[in-house]
């Protein structure tokens, strides 16, 4: 009996559920939509469609890889981020949905003609969103990874983010010295996992995201502490520091920002209500 789209979808959903994939139904729909070059909505309206052999083989191959907990984003090659389609590749940290809220916070406080700096950019998703959705004059994104810098530059071109410059280096080391004391928004999703926590992360993260993009050090505060210290040197008076951090350490990170002399410090929730972001400004 010919296999229909509906039976393939049900079988793949069951397979992914058995493998422990957190969202098996959604992932199955996205994989089939990718194979067939359609949308999830159109997919659901065409469940009686008979699949050809080539499509069945592709679904089987991709389904097997996802069941081994290879990230969905690597299988389809990109991820939606706000209104952008961001390319992803192995070796570069995959942007998560909660980081869209970090980008939104940055967009909200970026003044026309302003300067935005994003260390630890990874794919460049946050910097691309800020460049696309604000009238910032300068957006500088940095990363220590050559693979990340190359991909961020490709995403900048893909998204038409003409104000975005991507440079390789540690945190603010590659940022032009002329911007010291003139940055309006310093935004980052830095490594914030403590070394002892790595083993408890989902396989998609633990085995596929680069360790240097995940692990900050023994406490998880090492990189955020450095960014807090740099904020006092690089932000313009009234400029904003925005960090994504572990929900278990957001309160402590906020306290460290206040102790460093930053003002209006807040720990803000993500869409699930967990304290995920620290916002502060230079007095």
């Amino acid at each position: 009996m010919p296999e229909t789209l509906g039976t393939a979808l049900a079988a793949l959903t069951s397979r992914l559920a058995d493998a422990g994939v957190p969202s098996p139904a959604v992932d199955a729909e996205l994989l089939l939509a990718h194979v067939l070059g359609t949308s999830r909505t159109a997919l659901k309206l065409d469940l009686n469609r008979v699949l050809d052999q080539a499509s069945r083989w592709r679904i089987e191959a991709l389904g097997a890889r996802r069941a081994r907990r290879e990230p969905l984003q690597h299988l389809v090659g990109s991820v939606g981020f706000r209104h952008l389609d961001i390319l992803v590749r192995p070796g570069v940290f995959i942007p998560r949905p909660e980081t869209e809220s970090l980008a939104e916070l940055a967009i909200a406080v970026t003044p026309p003609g302003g300067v935005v700096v994003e260390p630890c950019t990874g794919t460049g998703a946050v910097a691309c969103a800020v460049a696309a959705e604000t009238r910032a004059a300068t957006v500088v994104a940095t990363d220590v990874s050559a693979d990340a810098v190359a991909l961020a530059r490709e995403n900048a071109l893909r998204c038409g983010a003409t104000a975005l410059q991507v440079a390789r280096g540690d945190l603010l080391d590659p940022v032009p010295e002329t911007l010291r004391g003139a940055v309006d928004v310093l935004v980052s999703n830095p490594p914030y996992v403590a070394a002892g926590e790595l083993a408890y992360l989902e396989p998609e993260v633990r085995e596929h995201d680069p360790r240097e993009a995940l692990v900050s050090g023994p406490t998880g505060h090492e990189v955020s502490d450095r960014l807090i210290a740099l904020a006092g040197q690089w932000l313009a008076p009234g400029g904003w520091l925005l960090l994504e951090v572990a929900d278990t350490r957001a309160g402590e990170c906020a306290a460290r920002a206040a102790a460093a002399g930053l003002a209006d410090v807040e720990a803000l929730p993500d869409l699930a209500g967990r304290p995920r972001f620290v916002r502060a400004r230079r007095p």
Side-chain angles (χ1 to χ4, degrees):
M1 181 177 178
E3 184 175 27
T4 66
L5 180 52
T7 58
L9 180 61
L12 182 56
T13 299
S14 178
R15 181 178 190 175
L16 298 185
D18 290 344
V21 171
S23 53
V26 172
D27 284 24
E29 290 173 4
L30 288 170
L31 279 178
L32 265 66
H34 172 69
V35 168
L36 299 174
T38 187
S39 67
R40 287 175 64 195
T41 300
L43 193 79
K44 295 175 182 179
L45 297 175
D46 200 18
L47 295 179
N48 291 322
R49 170 181 174 181
V50 176
L51 295 174
D52 59 60
Q53 188 63 53
S55 296
R56 292 168 64 183
W57 283 339
R58 285 198 69 200
I59 292 166
E60 169 62 28
L62 291 177
R65 291 170 65 186
R66 185 67 188 104
R68 294 194 296 269
R69 306 299 292 272
E70 188 171 341
L72 174 70
Q73 297 89 341
H74 286 173
L75 302 182
V76 302
S78 66
V79 62
F81 190 88
R82 294 182 66 81
H83 68 286
L84 303 175
D85 187 50
I86 297 293
L87 298 175
V88 296
R89 294 198 185 106
V92 181
F93 182 79
I94 299 168
R96 268 53 177 193
E98 56 265 29
T99 305
E100 295 185 47
S101 296
L102 177 70
E104 184 174 1
L105 290 170
I107 289 164
V109 296
T110 298
V115 176
V116 180
V117 175
E118 189 211 3
C120 311
T121 194
T123 61
V126 171
C128 285
V130 171
E133 296 186 52
T134 72
R135 289 185 287 159
T138 302
V139 181
V140 181
T142 75
D143 206 290
V144 294
S145 163
D147 289 341
V149 167
L151 184 56
R153 286 173 176 164
E154 189 173 345
N155 275 319
L157 288 173
R158 177 183 174 91
C159 298
T162 55
L164 174 56
Q165 308 163 32
V166 185
R168 186 182 180 191
D170 182 47
L171 300 185
L172 277 75
D173 285 354
V175 178
E177 187 65 27
T178 54
L179 296 182
R180 185 182 291 270
V183 175
D184 296 293
V185 182
L186 177 59
V187 57
S188 185
N189 177 19
Y192 58 69
V193 175
E197 297 170 341
L198 185 62
Y200 302 99
L201 300 179
E202 292 282 354
E204 291 87 344
V205 180
R206 183 180 68 246
E207 297 173 10
H208 294 278
D209 275 323
R211 179 185 172 92
E212 61 271 20
L214 296 170
V215 177
S216 175
T219 70
H221 286 288
E222 287 77 9
V223 181
S224 58
D225 280 349
R226 292 178 61 203
L227 289 168
I228 288 168
L230 289 167
Q233 306 168 29
W234 285 86
L235 285 177
W240 290 97
L241 172 67
L242 300 166
L243 299 174
E244 183 173 330
V245 298
D247 56 357
T248 55
R249 288 187 284 274
E252 186 177 352
C253 182
R256 290 172 181 235
L262 297 179
D264 300 327
V265 181
E266 294 181 274
L268 301 174
D270 61 16
L271 294 177
R274 299 167 299 186
R276 175 68 67 178
F277 312 105
V278 171
R279 180 172 64 186
R281 68 190 310 173
R282 182 181 172 186

